[in-house]
Amino acid sequence: MKKFLQNNLFIFWGLSIAFLLLTGYAIISEQFFLLAIPYVLGIVWLALKAIDKLLFLIVFLVPLSVPMSEFFSGLPINMFIPTEPLVAGVLLLFLILLPTQKWINKDLLFHPVTVASAVLMTWMLLTTVTSTMPVVSIKFFFMRLWFLITFYYMMVLIIRKPKDIEKLVWLYTIPMVIVIAYGLTRHATYGIFDKKIAHWAANPFFKDHTIYGAALAFYVPFLTLMAFRKGKALLTQVGTVSLLVIFSTALIFSYSRAAWLSVGGALILYIIIRLKVNWKYIVGLSIIALIAGGFMWNRIMIQLEQNRQESSVSNIGEHVKSMTNITSDASNLERINRWKSAFRMFNEKPLLGFGPGTYMFQYAPYQMSYERTIISTNAANRGNAHSEYFGPLSEQGFPGMLTYIALITAIMITGIRRYYLLEDTTLKRYLMGAILGLTTYILHGFLNNFLDTDKISVPFWGFTAVIVAIDMYHHQLSSNNLEKLESK
């Protein structure tokens, strides 16, 4: 009997019989929710025994997650399944185990990026207390908290080997290929050069082409750097180049102008970093450009108003040209309408704002009739403030916007400073990929905001975790210890 138990056969057959009995009872009694119990228990076991594997599993599932509204209508809350319930469970587990000090790392706790994120969340909590819609703000706060804890704090703690960084990238990009194939197939069926089809081609995995393009843009720089590295097996290089081609093609046919611009901005930053341009010159030129822009503002606006090229359905060149059309392009005009509404809300509550997550419910009265467009709505069902900067400004006041700017500043300073100090070429490539990926979204954030979704929170906080992990563990992760670490 002892040998029998040691071979785990008793446990295996016991669990198998229990599973069959539970399944039979659930079907006979038509209580189908009981079928989820074995999977929930399995996830709990995985969380307790191998939390790193659970986190990587969630990353893998994120591109494939779909909103609950696809299956159930009339729900009071809409979550992406299966990922957001899993992330919420990880947050709960983290809070339960926190007193055991299992997740306490003083170096991480006092890292500038962690401090900046803590300040951001603290201010968000304060404005949740003063919110005009407390229930909405509480939901929003906890949603942002579970993304931060899961994909930043815990991810930094489990990134201990160089291959963990690659794993974080591959586990998002590989399932993303399934979404890309699905989206491009639907797009091609109705007309690959039709921009309107791109808006919903990747639905239900991505609700529209803007968030789809933002997710693709995150990984194009990293894949580019990985595709041109030396010393890797031929099959690995072919696979990486193939992923780069697939992502680049999908990015082009996403027709997301913000995503296109963000990749161009990342390329400029790459050149600046590689050429080691003195940042004093960059800041100085930026100040001069801002002053010159102020003096020439009227002339610039006249030039922009002369651009009547609207977003094209089938011509990519015309679609690019329409980026500066602020006279007749409905998409651009609606974005400006949302921004102006955010500023009017800020003027009414400049310090604490209306509360996290409330913009979509509060902005309607702040629209002016003469600024509304053919796609305007009072329910924000076509996006919210369209900005990671102006959204917090209206919802959390001026300090709310400042906390976000402080966070991304801390991330970029940490990453660029460490890049200049690193000697290990592999780590420098990983770090550059993370910096450029985040740059695409920092720029994209001027035109859209998606950090309240799992699709964008994973690459945003994941790449932030890569930067902080390399900053903290670069000695252990260096090539001097590479073979030793990866053999463990």
Side-chain angles (χ1 to χ4, degrees):
M1 176 60 72
K2 185 176 180 180
K3 187 177 181 180
F4 182 72
L5 290 174
Q6 288 176 343
N7 291 331
N8 294 321
L9 287 175
F10 178 78
I11 297 174
F12 172 78
W13 285 110
L15 291 175
S16 299
I17 293 171
F19 176 77
L20 291 174
L21 290 174
L22 179 64
T23 302
Y25 177 77
I27 294 173
I28 293 172
S29 63
E30 297 186 354
Q31 298 183 50
F32 299 108
F33 68 91
L34 294 175
L35 296 174
I37 292 178
Y39 303 99
V40 172
L41 293 176
I43 290 169
V44 170
W45 177 85
L46 186 62
L48 294 173
K49 294 293 184 180
I51 189 66
D52 58 327
K53 292 182 174 57
L54 177 59
L55 294 183
F56 284 132
L57 173 64
I58 294 172
V59 171
F60 179 84
L61 293 173
V62 162
L64 304 174
S65 65
V66 294
M68 291 178 64
S69 57
E70 289 291 320
F71 307 100
F72 310 101
S73 58
L75 294 174
I77 186 171
N78 189 24
M79 302 178 71
F80 275 79
I81 53 175
T83 51
E84 290 192 358
L86 289 176
V87 176
V90 170
L91 173 62
L92 180 61
L93 178 65
F94 175 85
L95 295 175
I96 292 173
L97 296 180
L98 191 59
T100 67
Q101 297 188 345
K102 181 179 180 180
W103 299 111
I104 294 178
N105 183 305
K106 290 184 178 179
D107 291 336
L108 177 55
L109 280 175
F110 294 103
H111 192 280
V113 173
T114 306
V115 172
S117 64
V119 171
L120 182 146
M121 294 305 299
T122 300
W123 186 259
M124 189 182 294
L125 179 60
L126 176 62
T127 54
T128 295
V129 174
T130 63
S131 174
T132 57
M133 303 178 71
V135 175
V136 171
S137 294
I138 290 171
K139 291 178 181 178
F140 186 90
F141 172 79
F142 278 104
M143 180 173 60
R144 295 293 287 266
L145 182 63
W146 68 50
F147 288 145
L148 171 66
I149 294 297
T150 303
F151 300 123
Y152 167 65
Y153 191 90
M154 298 182 72
M155 197 62 72
V156 173
L157 295 177
I158 68 172
I159 294 177
R160 293 292 185 173
K161 304 176 185 177
K163 65 181 180 181
D164 291 333
I165 298 173
E166 287 195 28
K167 189 184 297 183
L168 184 63
V169 174
W170 301 142
L171 287 175
Y172 191 101
T173 54
I174 291 174
M176 189 68 179
V177 171
I178 299 173
V179 178
I180 292 171
Y182 169 80
L184 288 179
T185 300
R186 297 181 79 197
H187 200 165
T189 301
Y190 295 95
I192 193 66
F193 294 105
D194 191 333
K195 185 206 73 170
K196 291 183 178 179
I197 306 301
H199 285 216
W200 50 263
N203 192 58
F205 302 107
F206 289 82
K207 64 180 181 179
D208 62 41
H209 71 127
T210 53
I211 186 172
Y212 177 57
L216 293 167
F218 249 116
Y219 289 93
V220 167
F222 206 109
L223 291 173
T224 302
L225 292 171
M226 298 290 280
F228 294 100
R229 59 186 171 170
K230 298 178 181 179
K232 289 292 182 178
L234 178 61
L235 184 61
T236 301
Q237 288 302 94
V238 170
T240 307
V241 172
S242 299
L243 278 174
L244 175 60
V245 171
I246 292 169
F247 269 67
S248 299
T249 303
L251 179 62
I252 293 170
F253 288 109
S254 71
Y255 285 91
S256 172
R257 296 171 294 182
W260 296 348
L261 282 173
S262 70
V263 173
L267 175 60
I268 293 172
L269 180 62
Y270 173 77
I271 295 171
I272 291 172
I273 294 175
R274 289 304 303 267
L275 294 179
K276 297 183 178 179
V277 178
N278 193 313
W279 286 94
K280 293 179 181 178
Y281 299 140
I282 301 297
V283 174
L285 289 173
S286 300
I287 293 173
I288 292 172
L290 287 172
I291 294 173
F295 282 113
M296 300 173 63
W297 183 253
N298 290 334
R299 185 179 298 179
I300 294 171
M301 292 303 296
I302 291 172
Q303 287 293 115
L304 292 176
E305 288 171 357
Q306 289 176 349
N307 180 6
R308 300 279 177 171
Q309 178 61 60
E310 297 193 24
S311 177
S312 175
V313 172
S314 58
N315 189 305
I316 292 180
E318 293 178 355
H319 192 56
V320 173
K321 188 178 178 181
S322 70
M323 292 179 183
T324 57
N325 178 359
I326 61 170
T327 303
S328 58
D329 185 273
S331 178
N332 292 344
L333 289 172
E334 179 58 26
R335 185 169 276 108
I336 293 171
N337 173 39
R338 298 294 179 92
W339 292 347
K340 288 184 176 180
S341 298
F343 275 105
R344 293 185 188 108
M345 292 172 67
F346 162 70
N347 286 333
E348 184 168 320
K349 294 180 178 292
L351 182 60
L352 297 172
F354 283 73
T358 60
Y359 176 91
M360 67 173 62
F361 304 103
Q362 300 283 0
Y363 86 102
Y366 297 90
Q367 298 181 97
M368 298 292 107
S369 59
Y370 56 87
E371 292 173 349
R372 290 175 63 91
T373 70
I374 58 173
I375 58 175
S376 292
T377 173
N378 290 333
N381 54 8
R382 292 182 179 177
N384 38 46
H386 281 291
S387 174
E388 291 289 358
Y389 305 89
F390 303 147
L393 183 70
S394 63
E395 295 179 346
Q396 302 169 52
F398 189 65
M401 183 178 72
L402 283 183
T403 58
Y404 178 70
I405 294 174
L407 172 65
I408 59 178
T409 301
I411 294 170
M412 298 305 287
I413 289 176
T414 298
I416 295 172
R417 181 177 293 169
R418 179 54 59 191
Y419 180 84
Y420 286 137
L421 295 174
L422 277 175
E423 295 181 359
D424 187 280
T425 55
T426 299
L427 290 184
K428 292 188 77 163
R429 184 177 293 108
Y430 293 154
L431 190 56
M432 179 66 83
I435 291 169
L436 298 181
L438 283 167
T439 299
T440 66
Y441 191 72
I442 290 170
L443 296 174
H444 197 124
F446 284 100
L447 302 172
N448 287 301
N449 54 318
F450 303 121
L451 278 180
D452 56 346
T453 68
D454 61 340
K455 309 290 186 180
I456 297 302
S457 288
V458 165
F460 181 88
W461 290 115
F463 281 174
T464 300
V466 168
I467 290 173
V468 173
I470 292 176
D471 188 47
M472 290 174 54
Y473 312 135
H474 59 277
H475 291 301
Q476 299 96 305
L477 294 172
S478 67
S479 58
N480 295 329
N481 301 310
L482 188 59
E483 294 183 6
K484 182 179 177 181
L485 282 166
E486 294 198 342
S487 64
K488 289 182 178 180

